[in-house]
Amino acid sequence: MKILFWNTHKNPEIDSYIIDFMDENPCDIIILAEYINNINGLCNQLAILKLDYYVWNSLACDKVKIISKQCYKNKLMQDEKRYCIYSMETAYGKYILTALHLPIYFEIKEEM
């Protein structure tokens, strides 16, 4: 299983880089931190490459977005502003996946 984690730093031009990367190095799960674009739009662009992905639902976590191939079953276990925890099941076994975005120093001071 290949997992890509990418902090996009709120870059609105990041989709083309993600698509180019995925064209050369397809991954099973993509975790994007600070992603500000339309995640469904990214899935649609990946579908053009015959890469079918769907969005993992998260209500509270606004710092991390996850998409994966449709062959993975997932269940949200915990959902917070900066992280989410899922149980997931593949043909090879059951796993726990945690996606986390740690704040940088000045963001910590702002949140206090």
Side-chain angles (χ1 to χ4, degrees), residues 14-78:
I14 198 71
D15 285 3
S16 61
Y17 296 103
I18 295 170
I19 292 163
D20 288 345
F21 181 88
M22 292 297 294
D23 191 28
E24 294 179 22
N25 308 286
C27 296
D28 302 301
I29 298 172
I30 304 171
I31 304 170
L32 301 172
E34 296 186 1
Y35 185 76
I36 59 171
N37 295 344
N38 182 330
I39 195 74
N40 290 313
L42 177 62
C43 290
N44 292 339
Q45 292 178 57
L46 290 168
I48 294 169
L49 299 174
K50 305 280 190 246
L51 299 170
D52 294 325
Y53 286 83
Y54 77 104
V55 179
W56 291 25
N57 293 324
S58 172
L59 300 174
C61 186
D62 61 356
K63 299 291 184 183
V64 180
K65 306 284 187 234
I66 303 175
I67 60 175
S68 74
K69 292 182 177 178
Q70 293 203 20
C71 59
Y72 298 110
K73 297 177 186 176
N74 68 75
K75 180 180 178 186
L76 184 61
M77 297 172 60
Q78 189 166 355

Side-chain angles (χ1 to χ4, degrees), residues 10 34 82 103-112:
K10 300 179 183 176
E34 296 186 1
R82 293 196 166 273
I104 56 177
Y105 177 72
F106 67 85
E107 285 181 346
I108 293 171
K109 290 180 95 173
E110 288 176 1
E111 290 180 3
M112 296 177 101

Side-chain angles (χ1 to χ4, degrees), residues 84-97:
C84 45
I85 302 172
Y86 292 88
S87 63
M88 63 177 274
E89 188 174 335
T90 71
Y92 304 105
K94 296 179 181 180
Y95 305 92
I96 294 177
L97 178 74

